[in-house]
Amino acid sequence: MKAVLSIAAGLILSFSLASCERDDPDPVAGKGGNAILKVTPQHHGKNIDSCTIYIKYNAQDKPATFDDSVKCVMEGGKPVATFSGLKKGKYYLFGFGWDPSIGMNVKGGAPYTITQESTQSYNLAVTED
């Protein structure tokens, strides 16, 4: 009788564990996906065309080093830095450039999360250096 109860308890435990839902692990950001991120730097709402955008994979805070960088080019009448082939995940973006209207360098950064592998646009706020 004890053997039957032990086997029954083991089966119940096995079915219980098998039916539990497991959370998907956090996606690992970086190259190898289908997402395209188009970043436009803005200073007080005005597009900054002389800017380089830096990106760090798997980060939400400003890092000491970056994984990649792209200079802004005019696209559809506005400056855009395009990062392609990205996977879902967390990124940190940082821009450094020149605002001719004030004659000063501008810089700024922010975290960005890609939740689906599609083309996404983001306005990155920068401020006086």
Side-chain angles (χ1 to χ4, degrees), residues 26-30 34-41 53-63 66-67 81-84 86-95 108-125:
D26 286 336
V28 178
N34 295 315
I36 297 171
L37 180 57
K38 295 178 173 282
V39 182
T40 298
I53 305 296
Y54 301 86
I55 190 168
K56 181 68 176 180
Y57 310 145
N58 297 306
Q60 292 288 279
D61 297 311
K62 184 180 177 190
F66 290 90
D67 295 313
T82 302
F83 296 93
S84 57
L86 299 176
K87 297 190 289 186
K88 294 180 191 177
K90 296 177 180 180
Y91 296 86
Y92 188 84
L93 303 169
F94 183 80
Y112 187 84
T113 301
I114 294 176
T115 57
Q116 52 186 317
E117 292 191 8
S118 62
T119 299
Q120 301 171 38
S121 296
Y122 181 69
N123 293 330
L124 178 65

Side-chain angles (χ1 to χ4, degrees), residues 10-31:
L11 288 173
I12 291 171
L13 182 61
S14 296
F15 287 125
S16 297
L17 291 175
S19 67
C20 289
E21 289 186 30
R22 292 182 178 89
D23 292 330
D24 291 333
D26 286 336
V28 178
K31 290 285 195 179

